[in-house]
Amino acid sequence: SQRTYPVVYLLHGYTDDNTGWLQFGEINRLADKAIAEGTIPPMIIVMPNAYSSFYINSYDGKEKYEDFFIKEFMPAVEKSYRIKAEKQFRGVAGLSMGGYGTLIYALKYPDLFAAAAPFSAAVVDDAFIETMGEDGWKNTFGQLYGRNLKGKDRLTKDWYNNSILKIVETTPAEQLKKVRYWIDCGDDDFLTKGNCLLHIALTEKRIPHEYRVRDGGHTWNYWRTGIIDALQFIGTSFHQ
């Protein structure tokens, strides 16, 4: 056909790449079936490779993935394919690191996205950052916020500029309400605390959102069995 379509940017997790949602998530099979059955509207699903960037700009300026995604990648994709390049027809979703990226983009750029669906999002509080083991810090967050930091020294301006909980705390409610949120994290997931805190923070600011806790952990089976519900939620934003 020659019609244009809404778009969902579907983000992968840490140590994975753009093939993850295809190989392990089976998103092509699941989405095709849901579209054919009318469960979700026809849509273009775009899966970029973000390596281990957490979808943000690093503190030292060496990796500017956030700038690349918003200023270069999205415009290029939406120019190349038959995509409705408007907020109402644009959604973002992802798992773990990609769930974090989903929240970062929706919270920082609420005028670009109609809906966001983070799965098992890598949302952590200050205490988690302070007490994280040195090896874990160096391998994950050190590249983002400063490599040789310990304890409270890790709570830098760069951290707070990209802390989901801090962004929610400091962003006016009117801005937060511009995006529809679907938050889903398993009861056995090691990230369940951060997602609970996000749910509480949004509730206290009276931000409408869907919050799901299902039986399961940080696994592909959990994400596979939840993604169509999330795309259905996002898809309702695409309807006139």
Side-chain angles (χ1 to χ4, degrees):
S1 75
Q2 293 303 308
R3 65 178 283 189
T4 54
Y5 297 91
V7 62
V8 173
Y9 292 91
L10 187 58
L11 312 182
H12 67 77
Y14 188 71
T15 73
D16 219 334
D17 62 23
N18 54 293
T19 65
W21 272 107
L22 286 168
Q23 184 171 350
F24 308 114
E26 301 176 20
I27 188 59
N28 51 337
R29 177 182 66 81
L30 294 172
D32 282 348
K33 181 173 184 288
I35 290 170
E37 294 173 350
T39 305
I40 64 175
M43 61 178 68
I44 291 174
I45 298 175
V46 177
M47 291 161 285
N49 188 359
Y51 306 94
S52 56
S53 67
F54 274 78
Y55 300 89
I56 63 174
N57 298 334
S58 65
Y59 75 101
D60 55 11
K62 290 183 179 179
E63 174 112 53
K64 296 184 177 179
Y65 195 89
E66 182 180 326
D67 286 353
F68 156 74
F69 186 93
I70 299 296
K71 298 176 182 178
E72 298 179 42
F73 182 71
M74 278 180 31
V77 165
E78 294 178 12
K79 186 178 179 181
S80 300
Y81 299 95
R82 293 201 302 276
I83 288 172
K84 295 179 183 292
E86 305 165 41
K87 169 189 165 79
Q88 182 190 340
F89 303 108
R90 191 184 292 123
V92 60
L95 66 90
S96 196
M97 180 183 84
Y100 170 84
T102 295
L103 289 165
I104 281 288
Y105 291 162
L107 289 168
K108 288 189 179 183
Y109 308 96
D111 293 327
L112 291 181
F113 300 97
F119 280 87
S120 312
V123 180
V124 297
D125 59 8
D126 290 358
F128 182 97
I129 292 294
E130 284 184 53
T131 59
M132 191 176 192
E134 284 192 42
D135 286 345
W137 176 261
K138 288 178 181 177
N139 292 333
T140 53
F141 296 129
Q143 62 180 338
L144 305 175
Y145 308 120
R147 296 190 183 280
N148 298 311
L149 302 176
K150 298 180 180 179
K152 288 186 178 296
D153 289 342
R154 294 172 177 171
L155 305 179
T156 63
K157 179 182 178 183
D158 292 293
W159 158 246
Y160 282 128
N161 285 343
N162 293 286
S163 162
I164 299 301
L165 298 174
K166 178 60 74 171
I167 294 171
V168 169
E169 177 189 325
T170 56
T171 301
E174 295 72 30
Q175 285 288 103
L176 296 174
K177 289 177 181 178
K178 287 183 176 182
V179 181
R180 298 171 62 246
Y181 287 96
W182 173 280
I183 299 164
D184 187 346
C185 188
D187 58 352
D188 296 321
D189 198 302
F190 72 98
L191 292 166
T192 192
K193 177 186 175 183
N195 282 264
C196 287
L197 292 174
L198 173 60
H199 166 55
I200 292 167
L202 291 171
T203 301
E204 288 181 342
K205 295 191 81 161
R206 298 183 180 180
I207 309 303
H209 63 286
E210 295 294 326
Y211 179 59
R212 298 289 182 271
V213 179
R214 295 180 289 124
D215 181 29
H218 208 73
T219 67
W220 273 108
N221 184 60
Y222 187 88
W223 304 318
R224 266 196 309 272
T225 53
I227 186 60
I228 294 304
D229 285 342
L231 291 179
Q232 188 174 19
F233 172 82
I234 292 174
T236 59
S237 297
F238 301 155
H239 294 142
Q240 297 282 17

